[in-house]
Amino acid sequence: MYFISTRGGERVTGAQAIVQGIAKNGGLFVPETFPKVSADEFEAMLSMDYPERASLILHKYLDEYDEGELLSALQEAYQKFDDGDPAPLVKVENGMYMLELFHGPTCAFKDMALTVLPFLLRKGCDLLGIKEEILILVATSGDTGKAALEGFKDAEGVKIMVFYPDDGVSKMQKLQMCTQDGENVNVVAVKGNFDDCQTGVKKIFNSEECNAQLLEKGVRLSSANSINFGRLAPQIAYYFSAYLDLVTSGQIEMGAPVDFTVPTGNFGNILAAYYAKQMGLPVGKLVCASNKNNVLTDFFARGRYDSKRPFYRTMSPSMDILVSSNLERLIFEFSGRDGELTAQRMKKLAGEGRYEVSASELSKMKQEFYAGFTSEDDTIECMYEFFTEYGYPMDTHTGVAMNVAMNYQKEVQEEFGAEEHPMVVVSTASPYKFPQDVLYALTGNDVKDSFKGIKRINLLTAMKVPESLKALRYKALRFKTSVTADKMFSEVLKFI
Ligand SMILES: *Cc1c(COP(=O)(O)O)cnc(C)c1O
C-alpha cells in the first residue's frame, strides 16, 4: 500500500509516511486507495478481541509490516489499559452508547494510538534502514503531549520533546507533563495558544535549514502529532470494534447504520471514523462536535473555513483549536483528490487565514457530516443532567459531544420524524482528568485543588480513580522552561 501527499507529488510506503510524518511539500499523507473490509472479514472479526481486530485493520494499510509482529505490538500496547478492554462500549439509554477511550495510561483517547506509534515508528525505521536518532517534536493542546511522552519514554533511539501553550492546558494536564519521567524526554511551555505551538513545530519541520542542522548532529525529525498517519491508523480500529460490539451484544443487525458523535479539535478522531466508513463500515452520520471555538461548525454550514476569529479558552482545552490540521485530508477527498487545489487552499489558509470549498463539495460533505457546537453553560447542564438521570459521569469534552449529539437527534426527529440510528458518542477523557470542571458541573461546587476535586468526584460517583492520576500528587516537577514561539528551535538544539 502506498501513500500520497494531499498536496500532490509525493508517493511513499506506509513506513515512510509514518517516519517522515509530513510530506515534503507540507501535505499530509493519505492512502492511495482505501482498503476494503470484506463480509467474511466482518464475520471473522466478531469473535476477535480488540488487538486482533485492530491488527486486521492496521495491516491493510501497513502491509509491509509483519502481521505477527504487529499483533504482538498491539497486544502489548493495549495491555497497558485498565480492565482488559481498551475500548468498551457502554449503553446509557436506548439507542445511545458511549465508546470509552480513556482507560489508557494517561486517561485520554490519545493513548489508543500513542501506545502503538512507538512500534510503528521503530519498525518503520528498521524497514527503511534508517540509523539516525529520531527526534519526535510534539505540539500539544494538552492530552497528546502526555500520551506521547508516556508512549515514547525510554524508547531506544528516540528522543521526544513536547511544546504546550503556557496558558492553554488544564492544571492536571500540565502536572502530568511536567512530572514526566524518562531519560529521553523534554517538555517546554510556549507563550501563546495551541495554534502558536503547532505553527512553531510545523515551521521547524518545513525548514530545510533546521533539518540540515539536525541531520549534521545525526538526528532526524519525526512527528507524533495527529497529522501522522501512524496516529490515524489505530484510531480507525475502534470504530470497527464499537460496531462489532453492537452486533455481538444483539443491539443491531450486521449492516445496520450507526451514527457517531465525536468531540473534535484537530479533526483526527472523526477523520478516522470517516476512513472506517470508506473501508466499508456501515456508518450513518458523523456528528462533529465543537465547543465555543466553532470554526468547524461554521465550515460545515457555509463551506468557508475562517480561522481569523477570537480564540476562546474553554473547559474542553483539547478542543480549543482554530486550525484543524486533519481537515486537509477531508477536503482533499471531497475535492476529488485534487492535490493542486488542496495545496492552493492550504496556502490561502496559511496566508489569509481562510479558504472556501465549492457548493457541490459542501453539499457532499453535508451528506456525511453534521456539525454543531455548544456553549460552556449548555455543556455543564448536559453533564449534570446525564449524571442525575443515568448516573453516568462524563468529562467536559464528552459533555460537548453529548450535547451536540442530543441536538442532532432532536433535529432529525423534528425534521423527518424518523426512527433514529443508534448513536455512539465517543468519550475521549476520564472525568478525573478535568476534576474541577467536572465537579462543578455535577454539584455546582468549586474546589481550588485538583486532588480535592478527584476525591469529591470519587465520593459522589464511586467511579474508580485511575492510579496514574493518584500518583501525580507525589511526583516532583521536572520541567519548568517557558519560551516565546521564536525560541522553540533553539530549545530543540539545546536538548539534543
Ligand atoms: C485530542 C482530544 C480531542 C480532540 O480530538 P481531535 O482528534 O484533535 O479532533 C477531544 N477530546 C479530548 C479529551 C482530547 O484529548
Side-chain angles (χ1 to χ4, degrees), residues 102 107-111 140-144 173 194 226 231-232 235 238 262-272 288-289 296 316-321 324-326 395-398 426-430 433-434:
F102 55 75
C107 310
F109 93 96
K110 308 286 197 295
D111 290 326
T140 183
S141 57
D143 292 331
T144 301
Q173 289 174 322
F194 170 68
S226 68
R231 281 281 302 281
L232 205 48
Q235 293 176 183
Y238 49 72
V262 187
T264 297
N266 228 347
F267 210 75
N269 198 353
I270 195 167
L271 185 77
C288 172
L296 286 167
S316 41
S318 298
M319 299 160 72
D320 290 345
I321 289 174
S324 291
S325 302
N326 270 301
D395 101 288
T396 44
H397 303 74
T398 312
V426 178
S427 179
T428 49
S430 160
K433 202 161 180 181
F434 303 91

Side-chain angles (χ1 to χ4, degrees), residues 318-336:
S318 298
M319 299 160 72
D320 290 345
I321 289 174
L322 295 182
V323 178
S324 291
S325 302
N326 270 301
L327 191 65
E328 177 169 349
R329 286 187 164 111
L330 190 78
I331 64 159
F332 175 71
E333 294 302 331
F334 282 86
S335 72

